[in-house]
Amino acid sequence: ASFLLLCFRSPLATPLIFGLLLQAPLTQLSTITQPNFVLLLADDLGIGDVGCYGNDTIRTPNIDRLAKEGVKLTQHIAAAPLCTPSRAAFLTGRYPLRSGMDAVNDYRVIFWNAGSGGLPPNETTFAKILQQQGYSTGLIGKWHQGVNCDSRNDHCHHPLKHGFDYFYGMPFTLISDCQPAETPEMDRAFRRKLWLSTQMVGLITLTAVLGRVTGLISVQWKALTCLTGFSLLFFVSWFSSYGFVRYWNCIMMRNHGITEQPMVTDRTTSLILRESISFIERNKHKPFLLFLSFLHSHTPLLTTEKFLGRSRHGLYGDNVEEMDWMVGQVLDVVDKEGLKDTTLVYFASDHGGWLERQEGERQLGGWNGIYKGGKAMGGWEGGIRVPGIFRWPGVLPAGTVIDEPTSLMDIYPTVVHLAGGAVPQDRVIDGRDLLPLLRGTVAHSEHEFLFHYCGVHLHAVRWHQKDTGAVWKAHYVTPIFSPPGAGACYERGFCPCFGEGVTHHDPPLLFELSQDPSEAKPLSADTEPLFDTVIRKIGRAIEEHRRTLTPVPEQLSVSNVVWKPWLQPCCGMFPFCWCDKEGDN
């Protein structure tokens, strides 16, 4: 005791004690108020395309650095396997069918800037709550949540109506039609049918006219005039939309104004990066939210000359490596401005890679590693399991890997809580606050069940049995691969959610993902003693989940999805829509 007393009286004691106290591994959250948020969301990136998730041939050093300096999630799940519904869930923290942003038909995403469907104005995004908390909020890049409702300039679905102070990017999504030299991508099969029908109608009209002129067919000129008028009307009615896809959909906007129509793809990447850096620099003295929604790595894979031919995986690999470079540029600005320790950075993809996207021998879609399936498949892991990385030095433990079920919907309550806001109490929020899990103060995710939809059709359910660590997954509907055994729907281009292209399973296919993450060996009552117990448990969870659903307007109904000329954003006098304000500058 006398020795201890002597030590405390020593002149070295005070700095020694303070030094020990300062070596606490993590900062107390009570000392941090309103951190900045940089949310990085890739487009169509497969979980197998990133180095820290096992890829050793595509170079992603900056994304890998995020994982090394932060927390990597290995069961990070998208709420939908396609862009529009997945992003709606990300923004609202809710399954997309709760907001009407999932489809009952084959039109599972927003197809036109001039459609009337989109993220409903009564939905509350995390950006809107942060805006109310005093944050500067910016969205740079892809939106794909709709633009207008009733008129060309009502902007009811626009980012600025959903909590963002600043928007620069594409209100739609990148498609191959945006590149004049590329094969058209949008509604390709339907367009082929329309063109074939036009040729048939034209051939019938021409035959009737020739028959009337030569006297071989007795047809009145009045009937021929009507038939010719119908042929022209039929052609104009579809060509006015599909013939000008590049002008109608491939546009860039700054806030409500159009800056490029059509977009000049050669400079899109540099402009998006410039705008992202500028937003951080403009708002560095106050709390900000930057949502950088990449156009990478969606086709047509816009890649600058600097990165062409650099990877071992052709154009797709080049595009991913360029996106990783962009991530590095954004991180460098955060570091340079002294914001690293006060900024939560998040990186993810909106869903799995597109296996079927090919042009001849070229693979233009991503790779989903060991996981079965891909983009558009609502049940199989390859369509919904995505990278998920968080970095916040001093708050989140570096180099941590968490193998617990989490969701893109969890960003909503996590960000809102850290910003000092409160999630809405007048609706169901399906996301869960991830901070306790990320900091290691709890061992398990709050998610006991996750429901995997394909459109509005429930395809699979995941049950995390926390007492044993088992992750059970029951598939009630699976797509029929074409050709058989191919692992994707190559003959269709997309796997369907319903109809003749799916198989219904009764009893459902059951997998234990912690033992079989590739979903290669379905269990049965003969091979798994808990089979019936697990199926009953999941069945009860489905019943409870469905009781929380309420009818809402279908934002992706055919009437909302179709092109409406009076809603078309236009830089000029419709239909003469053209401008290049970036070039003018």
Side-chain angles (χ1 to χ4, degrees), residues 315-498:
L315 183 59
Y316 182 83
D318 298 343
N319 193 254
V320 172
E321 292 192 3
E322 180 174 61
M323 179 185 64
D324 178 81
W325 170 78
M326 294 173 72
V327 169
Q329 295 295 297
V330 172
L331 296 180
D332 287 347
V333 174
V334 170
D335 294 353
K336 185 190 75 172
E337 299 295 347
L339 303 172
K340 184 174 182 178
D341 292 341
T342 56
T343 301
L344 175 64
V345 179
Y346 167 73
F347 178 85
S349 178
D350 56 355
H351 51 71
W354 190 359
L355 301 179
E356 296 94 342
R357 190 66 178 97
Q358 300 173 330
E359 292 290 350
E361 297 297 318
R362 293 196 305 164
Q363 176 63 34
L364 301 179
W367 181 52
N368 301 311
I370 65 171
Y371 304 108
K372 182 181 291 187
K375 176 178 179 176
M377 305 183 208
W380 295 121
E381 288 291 283
I384 54 177
R385 192 184 287 223
V386 297
I389 303 170
F390 289 84
R391 187 193 77 174
W392 189 1
V395 178
L396 303 183
T400 303
V401 178
I402 296 176
D403 188 25
E404 289 281 312
T406 59
S407 170
L408 266 70
M409 297 184 290
D410 297 338
I411 302 309
Y412 186 100
T414 304
V415 165
V416 167
H417 167 72
L418 285 170
V423 299
Q425 300 300 308
D426 61 346
R427 64 199 65 192
V428 176
I429 300 296
D430 299 296
R432 299 291 182 264
D433 185 356
L434 283 179
L435 199 62
L437 182 67
L438 296 175
R439 285 174 60 83
T441 58
V442 300
H444 295 296
S445 162
E446 286 189 40
H447 290 290
E448 184 177 11
F449 296 95
L450 285 171
F451 302 91
H452 307 309
Y453 283 91
C454 187
V456 298
H457 308 276
L458 184 65
H459 274 207
V461 179
R462 177 191 238 94
W463 174 34
H464 183 207
Q465 192 177 1
K466 298 179 185 180
D467 57 341
T468 66
V471 180
W472 305 96
K473 189 173 172 194
H475 288 261
Y476 295 87
V477 184
T478 56
I480 298 173
F481 294 147
S482 55
C489 302
Y490 292 100
E491 294 174 358
R492 288 175 173 263
F494 271 117
C495 283
C497 296
F498 61 93

Side-chain angles (χ1 to χ4, degrees), residues 16 73 82 88 103 112 141 154 200 232 266 338 368 430 501 512 533:
L16 178 63
L73 305 175
L82 284 174
W112 299 99
D154 66 29
M200 292 176 63
L232 287 171
D266 289 346
N368 301 311
D430 299 296
E512 209 281 82
T533 302

Side-chain angles (χ1 to χ4, degrees), residues 221-241:
W221 283 112
K222 185 177 180 180
L224 285 176
T225 302
C226 291
L227 185 59
T228 303
F230 171 78
S231 301
L232 287 171
L233 185 63
F234 180 80
F235 173 72
V236 169
S237 64
W238 72 264
F239 190 78
S240 61
S241 56

Side-chain angles (χ1 to χ4, degrees), residues 101-319:
M101 291 294 281
D102 234 335
V104 298
N105 51 50
D106 287 327
Y107 290 95
R108 297 163 56 190
V109 298
I110 288 173
F111 263 70
W112 299 99
N113 279 325
S116 54
L119 190 63
N122 64 351
E123 286 293 327
T124 303
T125 67
F126 58 72
K128 187 173 290 186
I129 298 178
L130 265 63
Q131 191 180 55
Q132 294 166 354
Q133 294 298 117
Y135 274 72
S136 294
T137 55
L139 168 60
I140 312 296
K142 170 176 173 171
W143 176 236
H144 210 192
Q145 298 293 299
V147 182
N148 300 311
C149 289
D150 301 309
S151 66
R152 183 167 293 130
N153 295 312
D154 66 29
H155 297 127
C156 68
H157 303 306
H158 191 278
L160 268 59
K161 285 288 181 70
H162 281 293
F164 291 100
D165 300 315
Y166 184 76
F167 169 60
Y168 178 82
M170 288 191 76
F172 190 59
T173 182
L174 196 60
I175 50 176
S176 291
D177 304 69
C178 298
Q179 286 273 59
E182 291 287 330
T183 304
E185 174 183 332
M186 187 172 158
D187 246 354
R188 187 182 300 183
F190 185 55
R191 285 160 82 169
R192 280 199 293 261
K193 291 178 182 177
L194 287 173
W195 181 238
L196 180 61
S197 300
T198 300
Q199 292 176 309
M200 292 176 63
V201 171
L203 183 60
I204 291 170
T205 303
L206 182 61
T207 302
V209 171
L210 291 175
R212 176 67 175 82
V213 170
T214 59
L216 296 175
I217 303 176
S218 178
V219 184
Q220 294 184 357
W221 283 112
K222 185 177 180 180
L224 285 176
T225 302
C226 291
L227 185 59
T228 303
F230 171 78
S231 301
L232 287 171
L233 185 63
F234 180 80
F235 173 72
V236 169
S237 64
W238 72 264
F239 190 78
S240 61
S241 56
Y242 286 108
F244 296 91
V245 168
R246 183 165 165 255
Y247 285 84
W248 299 157
N249 279 346
C250 303
I251 68 175
M252 297 291 285
M253 298 182 76
R254 177 175 286 107
N255 296 327
H256 289 143
I258 299 173
T259 59
E260 296 178 358
Q261 189 170 18
M263 64 194 293
V264 182
T265 54
D266 289 346
R267 62 184 179 220
T268 302
T269 296
S270 61
L271 288 175
I272 285 177
L273 181 58
R274 184 190 75 184
E275 290 284 342
S276 301
I277 292 173
S278 176
F279 181 84
I280 294 173
E281 292 174 341
R282 291 197 310 270
N283 295 284
K284 61 186 177 183
H285 296 302
K286 53 187 174 181
F288 67 81
L289 160 71
L290 170 62
F291 176 19
L292 174 48
S293 178
F294 289 103
L295 302 184
H296 296 61
S297 50
H298 199 293
T299 50
L301 301 173
L302 300 184
T303 308
T304 59
E305 187 174 350
K306 176 183 176 182
F307 285 88
L308 289 176
R310 285 184 39 160
S311 84
R312 292 163 55 184
H313 288 276
L315 183 59
Y316 182 83
D318 298 343
N319 193 254

